[in-house]
Amino acid sequence: MSTARTNEPATSRYHHGDLPAALRAATVELVAERGPVGFSLREVARRAGVSHAAPAHHFGDSRGLLTAVAVDGFTMLCDAFDRSTVGVLDPMDRLTALGKAYVEVATNHVGHFAVMWSENLIDTTDERFKEVSGRAYRHLVGTVSDVARVHNPELDVDAAATLTWSAVHGLAMLHCKTGTADSAPSNGDVDLQRRIEQFSSLLLQGFAQR
C-alpha cells in the first residue's frame, strides 16, 4: 500500500482519481483535529466530497479505514528509519538517529501517529499492520543488538530496545497532542531534537559496559 505523503487536500486527490488515498487523507486530517475518538466515517466522506457509503465500500468499516491509516504511518516510520541510518556506522549514532526519525514522524504526521497507537480502534491482527509494525521494531532491535555487540555483550537487548522505544515515544507524545494547537510542528522542534540527543546519551551510558 502506498502512503499518502502530500499536503494536497483530500478532495483534490479524489478528483485526481485516488479515492482510497483521499479517504485516508481525510481521516488523518480529522484525527489530527479531533483525536481518534472524534473520528466518523460520515465526516470522512463529507471531507472527501463523496457519498457516506464510500468509506465502507473501500475499507469495510471504521476499523478497516483506521488500520489502513496505521499501516501508512508505520510505513512512513520504517522509511524514516531507513533514511536516517544510511551511512551511519557507529551503532550509538544510529540509535540517536532512529530517535530523531521517530520524533520527526510523530510531530509531522500527528494524525497517523495517533492512529498507530490506538490499538482498540484498529485491527492489530491485520497482516499488513503486523508486517510493517514488526519491521519498525526489528530495525530498533537490530541497532540495539549492534550496541550490545560493540559495547556490552551482556546487555539485555529486548529490555534495552523496549526502554528506548518507551522513552522516545513518551517524549513524542508530549509534543504531538491531537485536537490542540500543539498538534502541528513548531519552532520547538529544534529543542526536541536536542532532547532526543540528551535521552540517547543517558540511555547509551546505561547500555555501555562499565
Side-chain angles (χ1 to χ4, degrees), residues 10 52 93-94 142 167 204:
H52 69 272
D93 290 340
R94 286 207 309 274
L204 293 170

Side-chain angles (χ1 to χ4, degrees), residues 10 27 85 119:
T27 298
T85 54
E119 294 188 354

Side-chain angles (χ1 to χ4, degrees), residues 53-124:
H57 175 74
H58 286 277
F59 297 100
D61 55 16
S62 61
R63 186 174 294 271
L65 177 51
L66 290 172
T67 300
V69 168
V71 170
D72 283 351
F74 271 107
T75 299
M76 285 191 290
L77 181 61
C78 288
D79 290 346
F81 279 176
D82 289 340
R83 289 192 303 270
S84 70
T85 54
V86 171
V88 182
L89 300 181
D90 186 274
M92 290 189 169
D93 290 340
R94 286 207 309 274
L95 200 60
T96 301
L98 291 180
K100 290 182 176 181
Y102 189 93
V103 170
E104 181 181 353
V105 170
T107 54
N108 286 286
H109 301 278
V110 176
H112 286 96
F113 190 70
V115 172
M116 288 161 64
W117 304 107
S118 297
E119 294 188 354
N120 58 320
L121 300 178
I122 63 178
D123 180 8
T124 58

Side-chain angles (χ1 to χ4, degrees), residues 8-19 22:
E8 188 180 10
T11 52
S12 178
R13 274 196 297 283
Y14 166 55
H15 291 306
H16 290 171
D18 192 350
L19 179 53

